[in-house]
Amino acid sequence: MRALLFIVGLAVLVLIGAMMLGLVSIDMVRPGAVQTPKFEADVGRVDVGTENRTVQVPTIDIERADNTQTAQ
């Protein structure tokens, strides 16, 4: 029961966040005086694509220090 309440609460928070960011807009089209109210939701879109490019990457040369010391 707690898990169900947690999921419902999380869904409500996500919906509120999406509305605040402008990703979801809910408008009442027909008031609910005699008939049931009618709502229309305008939901934002996100398009994700890929693009191939050639990028120059710098090279790194590593020289190890010579740690051998002669005993005196």
Side-chain angles (χ1 to χ4, degrees), residues 8-48:
V8 170
L10 186 62
V12 169
L13 289 176
V14 168
L15 180 63
I16 289 172
M19 289 176 72
M20 290 180 71
L21 291 174
L23 296 174
V24 175
S25 174
I26 300 175
D27 299 321
M28 186 184 307
V29 178
R30 181 176 56 206
V34 176
Q35 300 173 349
T36 59
K38 181 180 177 183
F39 293 93
E40 290 182 0
D42 183 21
V43 181
R45 280 186 52 194
V46 176
D47 292 327
V48 178

Side-chain angles (χ1 to χ4, degrees), residues 57-72:
V57 179
T59 59
I60 299 174
D61 294 328
I62 299 174
E63 295 180 15
R64 294 187 180 248
D66 187 17
N67 289 334
T68 59
Q69 295 178 355
T70 57
Q72 293 181 353

